[in-house]
Amino acid sequence: MSASSAAKPSVVTHALKDALIAGIVAFGLFVLLLGFLADDTLGKLRPLPRPVLLAAAVGIVFVGRFLVSLLYYNAAALRLLLGELFVSILALAKRFRFALLAAMVALAIAWVLYSPGDWPLATMIVVAILFAVWLGLTPALLALAVLFPIAFYSNPYYLGIAIIILTYVMLGWGLNIVVGLAGLLDLGYVAFYAVGAYSYAIIAQAYGWSFWVCLPLAGLFAAFFGVLLGFPVLRLRGDYLAIVTLAFGEIVRIVLLNWVSLTNGPNGIGSIPRASFFGVPFTADDDGFAARFGFEFDPTHRTVFLFYLILALALITNWVTIRLRKLPVGRAWEALREDEIAVRSLGINPTNTKLTAFAIGAMFGGFAGAFFATRQGFISPDSFTFPESALILAIVVLGGMGSQIGVAIAAIVMTASFELFREFEQFRLVIFGFAMVGIMIWRPRGLISSREPSVYLKERKTISAEHVAEGHG
Amino acid sequence: MAHEAILALNGLTMRFGGLLAIDDLSFEAKRGDITALIGPNGAGKTTVFNCITGFYEPTSGAIRVNHAGGKSFALEKLPDFKIAKRVHVARTFQNIRLFPGMTALENLMVAQHNVLMRASGFTIFGLFGLPGYRRAEREAVELARYWLEKTALTDRADDPAGSLPYGAQRRLEIARAMCTKPVLLCLDEPAAGLNPRESDELNVLLRAIQKETDTSILLIEHDMNVVMEISNRIVVLDHGKKISEGTPEFIRNDPKVIAAYLGVEEDAVDAAEAEVGA
């Protein structure tokens, strides 16, 4: 007791000292950058002093550093407080779920009454909460996904966003195999996405084969590239692996830019054949989907079909990953993440294990790429830049490496918030950065960081994050 | 007629740059025996283990393992995982290397990777849950259960390995090695950090492995309580050389061993100095 109260002033002094140093550094940095404005209004260059701006900048740094210092030295207490808050909010929500539900329903009704145009969104929110409370998170999300196109049939904008979100969910799940399960940090995942998209576009255009033939081919090509990348980087671990995969991603993009005869270079490939409903195209003529099945022609049919297509692809990715985790290969991946030397001592070939992780992860990236190509109808190397890789990796890391539902939530939140904050164009990345820093401080292992065992003897106990390794490469 | 020696080292030499870690070491371990490898710190014991299990490639010399069926393997050129997979040599580590985020049971399932991999048709049959794989997995769980019982870990089967107490982690590592059905089990200081009761339990476990399975044991150990009580034969290393070999009785009374461990008497040093003319 006495120790903590005695320590308190020192924490404040320490923070003050720290802030002072930061202030001095800031002054040194800003005195020329902000303190003076090079002015040449009279044809003569002279420095115009800007003391207020300088003082403001230094002041912000000083106060900010002081607060950070204070919070940092009390980090344990702060984290505990926030953690408790989170848990108690959850507990409260659970306890008053019926009241909550009633409030939501009331809100939704009010919403429908006052703005009838937006009723599907309100309904969806109510449905989501209903499902989440009674069924749990996973079935709620699933039900939501299945019902989504029905509710938003008349709103192609929302449908489009949902399709993008699902593409990222699928990419996140694909990368989760490599990063989350096998613990291999891959910064060039978008390369496989690109390989899938381009192989679909090129094959479909050159041979005129249908989507359902080209899709597996695109996946196979991407898997082949996964193995191709896997071989040289198998000996690398950690940072080195990350750098080489980053380079690989760039190499693929630059090859796509420069191999003009095959890829049409920076102009990209246009008029890529659209996906058909198992051979029935979504066109307005007599052979089209609408005429064949006796509907009025509506371009939304195709969008809805694309929605269910990517939903199915993503769910297949999820299903395969869940199955693989319970198979020897999946356990070997996780064991590899935990301790590679022990893996080798048990007679498991680490090379093959890493290669399968790379290949299967890449294959799903390739499927997603083929979907992207058929949805867009146009692809160019601009769609496969490094920030794309970074976004997918961020989804996996923020969601919780290895956790399927965590990755899905992260993909939804990140992609949807990108749309949500579209109005704040310039500040989008700032908000994104803050969210990332926040999560890394309060949930350093991602949103859902615990691990479900793949097999159990008596009871399945969730394994808390503290024991689970992140992998070293 | 199977060869009597499960493991035969012949002229094993390991050099790290200018350091001669193992110098022309030869010894044999008999099938069904518990053979102990002892010596002061830095004598090269773990290096010998790393050579046998393929984590190091020896500079020169031969390492052979002879299976009971008559098959014989040259280990010096095989990579680590192939030694475990084909020759069935399993090992534990001086600083425990479990998969801390996986449960005890999962650790033992990973050890049965190669068997399960074949049963799952290299994942393809397993993906669709064909009955052949399901049966193989049940058998794997049974084998894991057997070793969990042997190592008194059944109650902790569903806990992450990283949360087990130290002694339990040591036992789990042995159980995991046994799940690979090894012909030779190499234990690197299995009693390190155990209290007297736990090290007695370890003796019981190792004796049981010797008696009930076809696994021969090679162990590095500093705990003389364990070494003297359970080994059939002891090899003593010092500065990479074999200085003595024999039964526990013999080793206990060998002046060379005592000198290596305890240093020599003052007058012996004087005599040696006189010899070199210092």
Side-chain angles (χ1 to χ4, degrees), chain A residues 327-384:
Chain A
L327 288 172
V329 66
R331 287 201 197 104
W333 289 339
E334 291 202 79
L336 201 66
R337 179 192 65 204
E338 300 279 321
D339 192 325
E340 181 173 343
I341 289 178
V343 161
R344 295 202 308 226
S345 83
L346 296 172
I348 300 172
N349 186 338
T351 312
N352 291 352
T353 309
K354 286 183 189 175
L355 280 182
T356 48
F358 262 117
I360 294 176
M363 183 180 75
F364 288 122
F367 287 153
F371 173 82
F372 177 75
T374 195
R375 183 182 80 94
Q376 297 283 89
F378 168 79
I379 49 170
S380 78
D382 287 343
S383 306
F384 308 106

Side-chain angles (χ1 to χ4, degrees), chain A residues 80-256:
Chain A
L80 203 70
L81 190 75
L82 283 170
E84 288 292 314
L85 206 67
F86 185 68
V87 169
S88 49
I89 287 174
L90 266 186
L92 264 178
K94 209 160 196 175
R95 191 152 172 206
F96 296 108
R97 58 186 174 183
F98 296 109
L100 210 67
L101 212 66
M104 283 292 165
V105 171
L107 209 70
I109 291 170
W111 194 340
V112 172
L113 286 180
Y114 284 100
S115 58
D118 276 342
W119 71 266
L121 192 63
T123 323
M124 284 317 273
I125 290 170
V126 174
V127 168
I129 289 171
L130 262 168
F131 275 119
V133 171
W134 272 305
L135 299 174
L137 200 55
T138 314
L141 283 177
L142 198 63
L144 203 65
V146 172
L147 295 177
F148 193 88
I150 300 165
F152 288 98
Y153 185 80
S154 54
N155 197 333
Y157 173 66
Y158 284 148
L159 273 179
I161 292 175
I163 290 173
I164 294 172
I165 289 176
L166 282 174
T167 313
Y168 280 101
V169 169
M170 177 169 180
L171 285 169
W173 278 339
L175 185 60
N176 198 19
I177 294 174
V178 184
V179 178
L181 294 184
L184 303 162
L185 187 55
D186 184 352
L187 287 180
Y189 190 64
V190 79
F192 307 126
Y193 188 43
V195 167
Y198 269 88
S199 32
Y200 172 77
I202 292 166
I203 296 171
Q205 276 198 337
Y207 300 101
W209 293 342
S210 92
F211 176 77
W212 299 101
V213 178
C214 296
L215 179 75
L217 283 177
L220 279 180
F221 264 107
F224 172 71
F225 268 78
V227 174
L228 214 63
L229 165 69
F231 261 116
V233 305
L234 282 170
R235 291 170 167 276
L236 305 175
R237 318 190 71 196
D239 314 350
Y240 305 100
L241 178 77
I243 291 167
V244 174
T245 52
L246 174 69
F248 182 79
E250 283 302 289
I251 289 169
V252 166
R253 191 178 62 85
I254 290 167
V255 167
L256 292 177

Side-chain angles (χ1 to χ4, degrees), chain A residues 14-76:
Chain A
H14 196 289
L16 265 176
K17 221 160 80 183
D18 205 31
L20 205 66
I21 293 170
I24 292 168
V25 171
F27 179 79
L29 267 175
F30 292 141
V31 67
L32 288 178
L33 285 175
L34 296 178
F36 295 96
L37 180 72
D39 180 67
D40 63 347
T41 37
L42 298 169
K44 207 169 94 185
L45 198 66
R46 63 206 167 98
L48 262 181
R50 293 191 293 187
V52 178
L53 187 65
L54 181 64
V58 173
I60 287 170
V61 169
F62 178 82
V63 173
R65 181 67 209 178
F66 177 69
L67 287 177
V68 166
S69 257
L70 251 189
L71 295 182
Y72 178 78
Y73 291 112
N74 295 310

